[in-house]
Amino acid sequence: MDLKTLLNKEQHEAATTVNGPLLVLAGAGSGKTRVLTYRIAHMIEDLGIPHYNILAITFTNKAAGEMKERIKSLIDVDIDSMWVSTFHSCCVRILRREIDKLGYNKNFAIYDSSDQKTLVKECMKELNINDKDIDEKEIISKIGKQKDGLMSPEQYKKENESDFRKNKIADVYLLYQKRLKNSNALDFDDLIFKTVELFKKHPEVLEFYQNKFKYIMVDEYQDTNKAQYELVKLLAEANKNIFVVGDDDQCIYQWRGADIKNILDFEKDYPNAKVIKLEQNYRSKANILNAANTVIKNNAQRKSKVLRTENPAGEKIKIYRAYSDTDEGNFTANEIKRLIEKENKTFNDFAVLYRTNAQSRIFEDIFMKRSIPYRIIGGQKFYDRKEIKDIIAYLKFINNLQDDISLKRIINVPKRAIGAATVGKIQDFANYMDECMYSVLLDIDNIPGLTTRNISSINKFTSLINSFNRTKDKVSVSKLIEEILESTGYLKVLQASNDIEDMSRIENIKELVSAAVEFENISEDKSLSAFLEKIALVSDIDNYDGDTDTVVLMTIHSAKGLEFPVVFMAGMENGIFPGTRCMDNFAEMEEARRLCYVGITRAKEKLYMTSASTRRVFGRSVSYSESDFINEISLNLRENVSEKRTNTARSTSAATLEAYKRNNLNSHSISTFGNRKAEKAINSILNNENLSSNNDFGNGSKKSIDSNEISAGRKVRHKTFGVGTIVSASKTSNDIKVTIAFDNMGIKQLMLNMAPIELL
């Protein structure tokens, strides 16, 4: 294939440099996926390199699938068996073949976050650790960080024996790993941790995979943690044919272990490495791209790179300062409706991006009222629903009878007279015998303290499981699910219910069966283990379908790798984005700025950046100043659309309130507006429900205030509090309650007839 006509100069150089270490710094929208796919196609078709000698690693299953399909469209070679996968999928494949060398069975279970939480809580209980002193979230986070950093529980214990808190966490880590192994299970972090351990303890295994994968390619290299970095380094050690592509300006996962030094120090690891920069952007209009450049250049820890584009300038970045979070949501809805009507946009052209998932509620409420279809990426996942987790637990246990966590989930689901007390006795006896729970269930008569009814119920349960276990390799996964639903009575219980939610559960279970059928139709390996691997490794973004005609609501982290014609970046306020912790932490501020850069570069045609003067946070009305990141965008690249309102009263009140906050609130300050009546008063003024249409400012003469002269934005003087600005007013039974932002005394609520105030 003639790559010179298909790729630009830098892309062509990256695609045709095959031998030796190569770092490609690929800016947002610069065609890195195109380079990856054409490079692999060139290696196979033009250079005759066998596809089985190539390992390509991505960060999502969706990206891996798309890459494989694009390669297939370029060359007429069967590459179905080629390893194009995520880090975790790659490691699962290796461990399925080799994990017995570490003392595990090859049918190991993969515990999700829910299973992990359950097991950690059990370990805490066994060790008498009070969750009020150390909660399970902290322990799970610490364990995950140790595994990402390749630190074993023994090492962690040894290093922290003098630290009371960390020593307790180390005890949980030790017991947790022991219980995992007894259950023949790995958690998500173990998948890479154990693969690295396997390679280091068994050089012959490492040598086999080094000979197999002579050419290694890693996408999104800036997001690798220490364990992933070490895995890649070990595999590439023999041949040094390592190609990594990434963008240090898009390293936004340091909070979960990603180490930006992996990409910044690539040339130290491989002194003869070649470096190629992809700076031609094909995604965004020039103004959007230039805005991204002006923001990210403020970061010190980065490699020099300036994106350019041949696309037209396009519209300026639209900056909207809302009165409230509700106003922010209404503005977004109005613009979506307007652009659909005026520019023939469709709903799937729009994305609303925010810093945290909690920010979605306002948009959900308003979009529902305005009949704007939407979907949330990052909400409850399909495989996290109770009924799905129940059936998956049956499958996991049938596949691995040592899986105590799955056993405890299903042993009394549906109810079969095996209560929590009985399960506790079984667990205690299993711990005493140092065996898995199912082993002791098979000798149920040996467990003390069980009633005849308990024993009868348990025998029926084990008989059922043994039946499933005998048929698991003889029937398809979908048929096995149907058999579980029928034999356990799970579906019958739901069908007998009058609860609407249970009707929805039935639909979800049908969808699970459909997912199993789809898996059987497209997968080469149709085994139960393969099906469980697939659903264990699926991420929320893997289910994103850009063809569904809905507005997308998602965090900026989730949006990485996606693009949309129109993007709204919401909550652009100091204290939210960037967060308050960033203000005093250089590294966190730089990561927040990289996240802002990612958000900006998701937009192809139009970009809105919105903020609110007041919003509800943890039940309180708070006020934050506009994000510093907005101010980092050059003035010639942005326009303030909030200044274009035709309603004078709204513009005046907003401007005065903003002036007050600029003069009196720093980026950390929070103003609490008190009770619900005050909040209602503020909302009324923000929705233009002023008590008077008189919006003239005083001419400097002093006079007492008449109720007819009340309006937002008017300057007043209080005998004690000094000069202030009227924010809002609301009628009471025989008076008017006025909310005033005083220059030096904050916001006060006063009754007009009693307050010693006068107009200025």
Side-chain angles (χ1 to χ4, degrees), residues 122-241:
E122 288 181 3
C123 293
M124 291 172 65
K125 184 179 179 181
E126 188 173 332
L127 294 167
N128 295 315
I129 295 175
N130 192 325
D131 60 6
K132 291 180 180 177
D133 298 327
I134 312 175
D135 66 23
E136 73 274 2
K137 287 183 181 178
E138 180 184 353
I139 293 174
I140 290 170
S141 174
K142 283 284 196 301
I143 290 174
K145 285 182 179 177
Q146 303 323 306
K147 291 184 180 181
D148 287 346
L150 296 176
M151 182 170 285
S152 69
E154 292 79 15
Q155 288 175 289
Y156 188 64
K157 174 77 173 175
K158 186 176 181 180
E159 289 190 11
N160 294 285
E161 285 180 329
S162 59
D163 185 312
F164 178 82
R165 190 178 190 84
K166 289 182 179 178
N167 190 45
K168 288 286 186 184
I169 294 172
D171 288 337
V172 179
Y173 187 12
L174 280 161
L175 181 58
Y176 172 76
Q177 285 304 115
K178 179 184 176 183
R179 293 283 297 277
L180 274 175
K181 190 164 187 180
N182 287 346
S183 295
N184 192 39
L186 304 179
D187 65 21
F188 215 60
D189 296 311
D190 273 329
L191 297 177
I192 300 173
F193 183 89
K194 289 295 178 183
T195 306
V196 173
E197 181 184 332
L198 173 73
F199 286 164
K200 288 184 174 180
K201 287 184 175 179
H202 297 275
E204 75 284 359
V205 176
L206 174 61
E207 186 180 358
F208 171 82
Y209 286 99
Q210 286 175 338
N211 290 332
K212 176 176 174 59
F213 301 126
K214 291 183 169 61
Y215 300 88
I216 298 169
M217 283 174 267
V218 185
D219 191 11
E220 305 287 9
Y221 192 65
Q222 78 281 348
D223 291 333
T224 53
N225 59 33
K226 183 175 180 179
Q228 292 163 336
Y229 163 83
E230 190 67 23
L231 177 76
V232 170
K233 193 174 181 183
L234 286 168
L235 286 171
E237 205 165 36
N239 300 295
K240 299 289 193 302
N241 294 324

Side-chain angles (χ1 to χ4, degrees), residues 232 263 296 331 350 529 637:
V232 170
I263 191 167
I296 201 62
F331 169 78
F350 300 90
S529 292
L637 298 174

Side-chain angles (χ1 to χ4, degrees), residues 47 62 438 518-519 707 721:
L47 303 182
K62 183 181 177 68
Y438 197 66
E518 181 182 348
F519 159 79
S707 61
F721 303 136

